Amino acid sequence: QVQLQESGPGLVKPSQTLSLTCTVSGGSISSGGYYWSWIRQHPGKGLEWIGYIYYSGSTYYNPSLKSRVTISVDTSKNQFSLKLSSVTAADTAVYYCARERLAGNWYFDLWGRGTLVTVSS
Amino acid sequence: AIWMTQSPSLLSASTGDRVTISCRMSQGISSYLAWYQQKPGKAPELLIYAASTLQSGVPSRFSGSGSGTDFTLTISCLQSEDFATYYCQQYYSFPRTFGGGTKVEIK
């Protein structure tokens, strides 16, 4: 079955760029039919959608983060990645990659386990 | 963006209780609403989509209703494994948004 796994540094210094990768196993990103998304959760708080990428490379970002976010895809490695620039302590959160199903009803049907990223000097 | 008001934020209940969680939208979203369950240290899991369709494998004690701006998640007979936090999410438009969450705790 398809699984998602986030990876990347757990500690990032303020003003630097947060970089995470989500590896998709058990299925192909290139098969289509899904948006590949990033979602974050501040400690003890709710969920915030960051953006998505389609296997073709088309993207859509949350306007609240758009100026700092880049999501890319590497179909040869079956991975997609998140870059968030100029981070501050407010970007400390658990970051999830998730799959959004595109078939009449669009919802997040598969999530990674999440990875905690702390922004601190 | 579509804002979502979820209530209550905290719900104390006992095993066997019937509980109801509300989610209200800032604008109509037809039935483009999903509900998720999240346990501590885990990723959210899909319970319901299209406001009332149970995801495969989800127990029938969970049900969803509503359309437009007002939605409800009901757990008919609370089980021990149901103590968790629940989120609603709209997929009517971008950016996708989530409710603030409802923590269901043991009374």
Side-chain angles (χ1 to χ4, degrees), chain A residues 35 39 41 45-49 52 60 62-63 96 100 104-109 111-113, chain B residues 31-32 34 36 38 41-46 49-50 55 87 89 91 94-96 98-100:
Chain A
Y35 286 151
I39 295 163
Q41 186 169 36
K45 302 296 185 182
L47 298 157
E48 179 181 29
W49 179 80
Y52 76 74
Y60 192 101
N62 192 323
Y96 295 100
E100 183 174 9
N105 282 286
W106 301 1
Y107 45 81
F108 300 105
D109 67 341
W111 297 65
R113 297 176 66 178
Chain B
S31 296
Y32 295 115
Y36 300 85
Q38 185 178 35
K42 302 292 187 181
E45 292 186 359
L46 178 68
Y49 62 92
Q55 171 72 337
Y87 294 94
Q89 178 245 327
Y91 50 91
F94 288 101
R96 302 304 194 217
F98 294 84

Side-chain angles (χ1 to χ4, degrees), chain A residues 34-74:
Chain A
Y34 300 98
Y35 286 151
W36 302 95
S37 303
W38 288 97
I39 295 163
R40 71 180 183 179
Q41 186 169 36
H42 294 102
K45 302 296 185 182
L47 298 157
E48 179 181 29
W49 179 80
I50 298 171
Y52 76 74
I53 190 163
Y54 193 53
Y55 79 95
S56 62
S58 62
T59 56
Y60 192 101
Y61 303 139
N62 192 323
S64 67
L65 296 167
K66 186 177 181 180
S67 63
R68 299 193 291 131
V69 171
T70 302
I71 299 176
S72 58
V73 65
D74 186 337

